[in-house]
Amino acid sequence: MGQQAINPEQIPKTQKAAVVRDKKVAIETVPVVQPSELKVGEALVKVLYSGVCHTDLHAQLGDWPLVHKEPLIGGHEGAGIVVAIGEHTDTDLKIGDRVGIKWLADSCLKCDYCRQGYEPLCHQALCSGFSVDGSFQQYAVSFARHLTKIPESLPMDKAAPILCAGVTVYKALKQSNARAGEWVVIPGAGGGLGHLAIQYALYMGLRVIAIDTGAQKQALCTKLGAERWIDFRETDDIVKAVKAATPDGDGPHAAIVTSAVGAAYEQALEYVRPHGTVVSVGLPPDAKVSADVFWTTFLEKQLKGSYVGNRQDAVEALDIAASGRVETTYTTLPFAKLPEVYGQMHDGSLVGRVVLDLWA
Ligand code: 8ID
Ligand code: ZN
């Protein structure tokens, strides 16, 4: 029996989960890890909602040069309730706490990287929905020290996409070093990460150029406060269009590239202004960034990778969302719709985020 648990009778023996095998996903009935089976440091979370991130689709399709567990339960934007905690776990968490399961499921907290707050770079990092089962299941085991408390005033469905998309773009914007009054361009602005990036950028006092495609994404980006819109399908010369979108024609101070397709990276180092920074966030398969050495050096341009965020970034990103200054645009769908969601994500027709209701 776990150190703390709600009445174990209330925890069922089986549950619904989205299981990936051989690059295909299916909703199956699988066992629930019981409180008595939890190891030190683990917590059992009743997942209420989970956002669907493009990373989940990359994982299913085997897009990356990394190996995931198989069979795999995906999902890493899980908002839920703690229902049990492993015996002898040193934690402030209590049964009933509202918590978020993030991509970074665990890290050692002792190594050089963890000590400096670079927790995602820890050699022992575990990733929800990749190296350990994630939030596309009704009861997920996660690690108490990396669960993030969700502020009381933030509804669980709205909180879910902040746990990856929100944290990631918030941290990426910090990495860009762009300051209030400066311009940032966001390729992929109408997607899950991008539409939150617009809002965190505005929160930081930045001015936004959105790049994506289609009337629906244009309407969303404009509604959220992007001052300029560039449709990548209808624009022949993206570099010229991005530079022209800034008042002095020199281009934005930073680019936060959140597209899941490599093409969005091709010109990013060309259109940022001298001393500008390109922050690489989207993780398209087999993509390359090519940079002209002369101009990159001569104009002091920078390219930075930015990979999710640490525990503090998560707390800050959730607090800002709880303040109402950043709000996810999402469609809530029943759990069983996950395969269809992946189809729409693949063809680029999803606007904003989809949040799955694990119990619908
Ligand atoms: O820590 C990280 N670096 C991190 C965290 C979370 C997610 C990275 N990601 C990665 C995902 O793995 C994925 O590769 O960020 C990428 C975007 O994830 P998402 O926001 O969940 O995907 P989405 O909702 O499908 O949005 C992508 C948008 O890009 C647009 C699409 O129209 C869509 O709105 N887009 C495409 I496809 N090609 C484009 C282009 N050439 C483009 N936008 C601009 N220019
Ligand atoms: Zn994600």
Side-chain angles (χ1 to χ4, degrees), residues 52-56 58 64 76-77 103 164-165 168 186-194 211-213 217 232-233 238 257-265 280-284 306-309 345-346 348-353:
V52 184
C53 178
H54 210 117
T55 290
D56 298 311
H58 289 311
W64 295 342
H76 57 274
E77 289 185 347
W103 173 254
C164 175
T168 300
I186 305 171
L193 268 65
I211 310 182
D212 213 308
T213 192
K217 289 182 186 177
F232 69 85
R233 287 219 172 98
I238 296 275
V257 187
T258 64
S259 159
V261 170
Y265 281 93
S280 158
V281 177
L283 290 162
S306 189
Y307 174 43
V308 291
M345 197 170 248
H346 198 254
S349 59
L350 274 190
V351 180
R353 224 1 157 221

Coordinates of all heavy atoms in Angstrom, one line a residue, residues 52-56 58 64 76-77 103 164-165 168 186-194 211-213 217 232-233 238 257-265 280-284 306-309 345-346 348-353, ligand 1:
V52 N -2.8 17.2 -27.0 CA -2.1 16.4 -28.0 C -1.1 17.3 -28.7 O -1.4 18.3 -29.3 CB -3.1 15.8 -29.1 CG1 -2.4 14.9 -30.1 CG2 -4.3 15.1 -28.4
C53 N 0.2 16.9 -28.6 CA 1.3 17.7 -29.1 C 1.8 17.0 -30.3 O 1.7 15.7 -30.5 CB 2.4 17.7 -28.0 SG 3.9 18.6 -28.5
H54 N 2.4 17.8 -31.3 CA 2.9 17.1 -32.5 C 4.0 16.2 -32.2 O 4.3 15.2 -32.9 CB 3.4 18.2 -33.4 CG 3.3 17.8 -34.9 ND1 2.5 18.5 -35.8 CD2 3.9 16.8 -35.6 CE1 2.6 17.9 -37.0 NE2 3.4 16.9 -36.9
T55 N 4.7 16.4 -31.0 CA 5.7 15.4 -30.6 C 5.1 14.0 -30.4 O 5.8 13.0 -30.7 CB 6.3 15.9 -29.2 OG1 7.1 17.1 -29.5 CG2 7.2 14.9 -28.6
D56 N 3.9 13.9 -30.0 CA 3.3 12.6 -29.8 C 3.2 11.9 -31.2 O 3.4 10.7 -31.3 CB 1.9 12.7 -29.2 CG 1.9 13.3 -27.8 OD1 2.7 12.8 -27.0 OD2 1.2 14.2 -27.5
H58 N 5.2 12.6 -33.8 CA 6.6 12.3 -34.2 C 7.0 11.0 -33.6 O 7.6 10.1 -34.2 CB 7.6 13.4 -33.8 CG 7.5 14.7 -34.5 ND1 7.5 14.8 -35.9 CD2 7.5 15.9 -34.0 CE1 7.4 16.1 -36.2 NE2 7.4 16.8 -35.1
W64 N 12.2 10.5 -35.2 CA 13.4 11.1 -34.6 C 14.5 10.0 -34.5 O 14.2 8.8 -34.3 CB 13.2 11.6 -33.2 CG 12.2 12.8 -33.2 CD1 11.9 13.6 -34.2 CD2 11.5 13.3 -32.0 NE1 11.0 14.6 -33.8 CE2 10.8 14.4 -32.5 CE3 11.5 12.9 -30.7 CZ2 10.0 15.2 -31.6 CZ3 10.7 13.7 -29.9 CH2 9.9 14.8 -30.3
H76 N 1.9 13.9 -23.1 CA 2.8 14.6 -22.1 C 2.2 16.0 -21.8 O 3.0 16.9 -21.4 CB 4.2 14.6 -22.6 CG 4.3 15.3 -23.9 ND1 4.2 14.7 -25.1 CD2 4.6 16.6 -24.3 CE1 4.3 15.5 -26.1 NE2 4.6 16.7 -25.6
E77 N 0.9 16.1 -22.0 CA 0.3 17.4 -21.5 C -0.9 16.9 -20.6 O -2.0 17.2 -20.9 CB -0.2 18.2 -22.7 CG 0.9 18.9 -23.5 CD 0.4 19.8 -24.6 OE1 -0.8 19.8 -24.9 OE2 1.2 20.6 -25.1
W103 N 6.5 16.7 -20.4 CA 7.4 15.8 -21.2 C 8.5 15.3 -20.4 O 8.9 14.2 -20.4 CB 7.9 16.7 -22.4 CG 9.0 16.0 -23.2 CD1 10.3 16.3 -23.2 CD2 8.8 14.9 -24.2 NE1 11.0 15.5 -24.1 CE2 10.1 14.6 -24.7 CE3 7.7 14.2 -24.6 CZ2 10.3 13.6 -25.7 CZ3 7.9 13.2 -25.6 CH2 9.2 12.9 -26.1
C164 N 3.1 21.4 -22.0 CA 4.3 21.3 -23.0 C 4.3 22.5 -23.9 O 5.3 23.2 -23.8 CB 4.2 20.0 -23.8 SG 5.5 20.0 -25.1
A165 N 3.3 22.7 -24.6 CA 3.3 23.8 -25.6 C 3.6 25.2 -24.9 O 4.5 25.9 -25.4 CB 2.0 23.9 -26.4
T168 N 7.2 25.3 -23.3 CA 8.2 25.3 -24.3 C 8.4 26.6 -25.0 O 9.5 27.1 -25.1 CB 7.9 24.2 -25.4 OG1 7.8 23.0 -24.7 CG2 8.9 24.2 -26.5
I186 N 7.1 34.3 -35.7 CA 6.7 33.0 -35.2 C 6.2 32.1 -36.4 O 5.0 32.1 -36.7 CB 5.7 33.0 -34.1 CG1 6.2 33.9 -33.0 CG2 5.4 31.6 -33.6 CD1 5.1 34.2 -31.9
P187 N 7.1 31.4 -37.1 CA 6.6 30.4 -38.1 C 6.0 29.2 -37.4 O 6.5 28.7 -36.4 CB 7.9 30.0 -38.8 CG 9.0 30.9 -38.3 CD 8.6 31.4 -37.0
G188 N 4.8 28.9 -37.8 CA 4.0 27.9 -37.1 C 3.0 28.5 -36.1 O 2.5 27.8 -35.2
A189 N 2.7 29.8 -36.3 CA 2.0 30.6 -35.3 C 0.5 30.1 -35.1 O -0.1 30.4 -34.0 CB 2.0 32.1 -35.7
G190 N 0.0 29.4 -36.1 CA -1.4 29.0 -35.9 C -1.6 27.6 -35.3 O -2.7 27.1 -35.0
G191 N -0.4 27.0 -34.9 CA -0.5 25.6 -34.4 C -0.5 25.7 -32.8 O -0.7 26.7 -32.2
G192 N -0.3 24.5 -32.2 CA -0.4 24.4 -30.8 C 0.6 25.2 -30.1 O 0.3 26.0 -29.2
L193 N 1.9 25.1 -30.4 CA 2.9 25.9 -29.7 C 2.8 27.3 -30.2 O 2.9 28.2 -29.4 CB 4.3 25.3 -30.1 CG 4.9 24.3 -29.1 CD1 4.1 23.0 -29.1 CD2 6.4 24.0 -29.5
G194 N 2.6 27.5 -31.5 CA 2.7 28.9 -32.0 C 1.7 29.8 -31.5 O 2.0 31.0 -31.2
I211 N 3.6 33.6 -39.0 CA 3.7 32.9 -40.3 C 3.0 31.6 -40.1 O 3.3 30.8 -39.2 CB 5.1 32.6 -40.7 CG1 6.0 33.9 -40.7 CG2 5.1 32.0 -42.1 CD1 7.4 33.7 -41.2
D212 N 2.0 31.3 -41.0 CA 1.3 30.0 -41.1 C 0.5 30.1 -42.3 O 0.8 30.9 -43.2 CB 0.5 29.7 -39.8 CG 0.5 28.2 -39.5 OD1 0.2 27.4 -40.4 OD2 0.8 27.8 -38.4
T213 N -0.5 29.2 -42.4 CA -1.3 29.2 -43.6 C -2.8 29.1 -43.4 O -3.2 28.5 -42.4 CB -0.8 28.1 -44.6 OG1 -1.4 28.3 -45.9 CG2 -1.2 26.7 -44.1
K217 N -6.3 30.1 -39.5 CA -5.1 30.4 -38.7 C -4.8 31.9 -38.7 O -4.4 32.4 -37.7 CB -3.9 29.5 -39.2 CG -4.1 28.1 -38.8 CD -3.0 27.2 -39.2 CE -3.3 25.7 -39.0 NZ -2.3 24.8 -39.4
F232 N 2.6 31.3 -45.6 CA 3.8 30.8 -46.2 C 3.4 30.1 -47.6 O 4.3 29.9 -48.4 CB 4.5 29.8 -45.3 CG 3.8 28.5 -45.0 CD1 3.9 27.4 -45.8 CD2 3.1 28.4 -43.8 CE1 3.3 26.2 -45.5 CE2 2.4 27.2 -43.5 CZ 2.5 26.1 -44.3
R233 N 2.2 29.7 -47.8 CA 1.8 29.1 -49.1 C 1.6 30.1 -50.2 O 1.7 29.8 -51.3 CB 0.5 28.2 -48.9 CG 0.8 27.0 -48.1 CD 0.0 25.8 -48.7 NE 0.4 24.6 -48.0 CZ -0.3 24.0 -47.0 NH1 -1.4 24.6 -46.6 NH2 0.2 22.9 -46.4
I238 N 9.7 34.7 -48.8 CA 9.4 34.8 -47.3 C 10.4 35.8 -46.7 O 10.0 36.6 -45.8 CB 9.5 33.4 -46.6 CG1 8.4 32.5 -47.1 CG2 9.5 33.5 -45.1 CD1 7.1 32.6 -46.5
V257 N 10.9 29.3 -34.1 CA 10.4 28.5 -35.2 C 9.7 27.3 -34.5 O 10.3 26.4 -33.9 CB 11.6 28.0 -36.1 CG1 11.0 27.2 -37.3 CG2 12.4 29.1 -36.6
T258 N 8.4 27.3 -34.7 CA 7.6 26.2 -34.0 C 6.9 25.3 -35.1 O 6.0 24.6 -34.8 CB 6.5 26.8 -33.1 OG1 5.6 27.5 -33.9 CG2 7.1 27.7 -32.0
S259 N 7.4 25.3 -36.3 CA 6.8 24.5 -37.3 C 7.3 23.0 -37.2 O 8.5 22.8 -36.8 CB 7.2 25.0 -38.7 OG 7.1 24.0 -39.7
A260 N 6.5 22.1 -37.6 CA 6.9 20.7 -37.6 C 7.4 20.2 -38.9 O 7.6 19.0 -39.1 CB 5.7 19.8 -37.2
V261 N 7.7 21.2 -39.8 CA 8.2 20.9 -41.1 C 9.5 21.7 -41.4 O 9.6 22.9 -41.0 CB 7.1 21.3 -42.2 CG1 7.7 21.2 -43.6 CG2 5.9 20.4 -42.1
G262 N 10.5 21.1 -41.9 CA 11.8 21.6 -42.1 C 11.9 22.9 -42.9 O 12.7 23.8 -42.6
A263 N 11.0 23.1 -43.8 CA 11.0 24.2 -44.7 C 11.0 25.6 -44.0 O 11.6 26.5 -44.4 CB 9.8 24.2 -45.7
A264 N 10.4 25.6 -42.8 CA 10.2 26.8 -42.0 C 11.6 27.3 -41.5 O 11.8 28.4 -41.1 CB 9.3 26.6 -40.9
Y265 N 12.6 26.4 -41.5 CA 13.9 26.7 -41.0 C 14.8 27.3 -42.1 O 15.8 28.0 -41.7 CB 14.6 25.5 -40.4 CG 14.1 25.1 -39.0 CD1 13.1 24.2 -38.8 CD2 14.7 25.7 -37.9 CE1 12.7 23.9 -37.5 CE2 14.3 25.4 -36.6 CZ 13.3 24.5 -36.5 OH 12.8 24.2 -35.2
S280 N 15.4 27.5 -32.3 CA 14.9 26.3 -33.0 C 14.1 25.5 -31.9 O 14.6 25.1 -30.9 CB 16.1 25.6 -33.4 OG 15.8 24.2 -33.6
V281 N 12.8 25.4 -32.2 CA 11.9 24.7 -31.3 C 11.2 23.5 -32.0 O 11.2 22.4 -31.4 CB 10.8 25.7 -30.8 CG1 9.8 24.9 -29.9 CG2 11.4 26.8 -30.0
G282 N 10.6 23.7 -33.2 CA 10.0 22.6 -33.9 C 11.1 21.5 -34.2 O 12.2 21.8 -34.4
L283 N 10.6 20.3 -34.2 CA 11.5 19.1 -34.4 C 11.2 18.3 -35.6 O 10.9 17.1 -35.5 CB 11.5 18.3 -33.1 CG 12.1 19.0 -31.9 CD1 11.7 18.3 -30.6 CD2 13.6 19.0 -31.9
P284 N 11.2 18.9 -36.8 CA 10.9 18.1 -38.0 C 12.0 17.0 -38.3 O 13.1 17.2 -38.0 CB 10.9 19.1 -39.1 CG 11.7 20.3 -38.6 CD 11.6 20.3 -37.1
S306 N 16.1 25.1 -28.3 CA 15.4 25.3 -27.0 C 14.5 24.1 -26.8 O 13.6 23.8 -27.7 CB 14.6 26.6 -27.0 OG 14.1 26.9 -25.7
Y307 N 14.7 23.4 -25.7 CA 14.1 22.1 -25.5 C 13.2 22.1 -24.3 O 13.8 22.3 -23.2 CB 15.2 21.0 -25.5 CG 14.8 19.6 -25.1 CD1 13.6 19.0 -25.7 CD2 15.5 18.9 -24.3 CE1 13.3 17.7 -25.4 CE2 15.2 17.6 -24.0 CZ 14.1 17.0 -24.5 OH 13.7 15.7 -24.2
V308 N 11.9 22.1 -24.4 CA 11.0 22.2 -23.3 C 11.4 23.2 -22.2 O 11.9 24.3 -22.6 CB 10.5 20.8 -22.7 CG1 9.7 20.0 -23.7 CG2 11.7 20.0 -22.1
G309 N 11.3 23.0 -21.0 CA 11.6 23.9 -19.9 C 11.9 23.2 -18.6 O 11.7 22.0 -18.6
M345 N -3.5 16.6 -37.7 CA -2.2 17.2 -37.4 C -1.2 17.0 -38.5 O -0.5 17.9 -38.9 CB -1.7 16.5 -36.1 CG -0.6 17.3 -35.4 SD -0.3 16.5 -33.8 CE -0.9 17.8 -32.7
H346 N -1.3 15.8 -39.1 CA -0.4 15.4 -40.1 C -0.6 16.2 -41.4 O 0.3 16.7 -42.1 CB -0.5 13.9 -40.5 CG 0.6 13.4 -41.2 ND1 0.5 13.1 -42.6 CD2 1.9 13.1 -40.9 CE1 1.7 12.6 -43.0 NE2 2.6 12.7 -42.0
G348 N -1.9 19.2 -41.4 CA -1.8 20.6 -41.1 C -3.1 21.4 -40.9 O -3.1 22.6 -40.9
S349 N -4.2 20.7 -40.7 CA -5.5 21.4 -40.7 C -5.9 21.7 -39.2 O -7.0 22.3 -39.1 CB -6.5 20.5 -41.4 OG -6.7 19.3 -40.8
L350 N -5.1 21.3 -38.2 CA -5.5 21.6 -36.8 C -5.2 23.1 -36.5 O -4.1 23.6 -36.8 CB -4.7 20.8 -35.9 CG -5.2 19.4 -35.5 CD1 -4.4 18.9 -34.3 CD2 -6.7 19.4 -35.2
V351 N -6.2 23.8 -36.0 CA -6.0 25.2 -35.5 C -5.9 25.2 -34.0 O -6.8 24.7 -33.3 CB -7.2 26.1 -36.0 CG1 -7.0 27.5 -35.6 CG2 -7.3 26.0 -37.5
G352 N -4.8 25.8 -33.5 CA -4.6 25.7 -32.0 C -4.4 24.3 -31.5 O -3.6 23.6 -32.2
R353 N -5.0 23.9 -30.4 CA -4.7 22.6 -29.8 C -5.9 21.8 -29.7 O -7.0 22.3 -29.6 CB -4.2 22.9 -28.4 CG -3.1 22.3 -27.7 CD -2.2 21.3 -28.4 NE -0.9 21.2 -27.8 CZ 0.2 21.0 -28.5 NH1 0.2 21.0 -29.8 NH2 1.4 20.9 -27.9
Ligands
8ID1 O1 11.0 21.3 -26.6 C1 10.8 21.5 -27.8 N1 11.7 22.0 -28.7 C2 9.4 21.1 -28.4 C3 8.3 20.9 -27.5 C4 7.1 20.6 -28.0 C5 6.9 20.4 -29.4 C6 9.2 20.9 -29.7 N2 8.0 20.6 -30.2 C7 7.9 20.4 -31.6 C8 7.0 19.3 -32.1 O2 7.6 18.1 -32.0 C9 6.7 19.8 -33.5 O3 7.8 19.4 -34.4 O4 7.3 21.6 -32.1 C10 6.7 21.3 -33.4 C11 5.3 21.9 -33.4 O5 4.5 21.3 -32.5 P1 2.9 21.6 -32.4 O6 2.7 23.1 -32.2 O7 2.3 20.7 -31.5 O8 2.4 21.3 -33.9 P2 1.2 21.8 -34.8 O9 0.0 22.1 -33.9 O10 1.0 20.8 -35.9 O11 1.7 23.2 -35.4 C12 2.7 23.3 -36.4 C13 2.3 24.5 -37.3 O12 3.3 24.7 -38.3 C14 2.7 25.2 -39.5 C15 1.5 24.3 -39.6 O13 0.5 24.9 -40.4 C16 1.0 24.3 -38.1 O14 0.0 25.3 -37.8 N3 3.7 25.1 -40.6 C17 4.1 24.1 -41.4 I1 3.4 22.2 -41.3 N4 5.0 24.4 -42.3 C18 5.2 25.7 -42.1 C19 6.0 26.7 -42.7 N5 6.8 26.4 -43.7 C20 4.4 26.2 -41.0 N6 4.4 27.4 -40.5 C21 5.3 28.3 -41.2 N7 6.1 27.9 -42.2

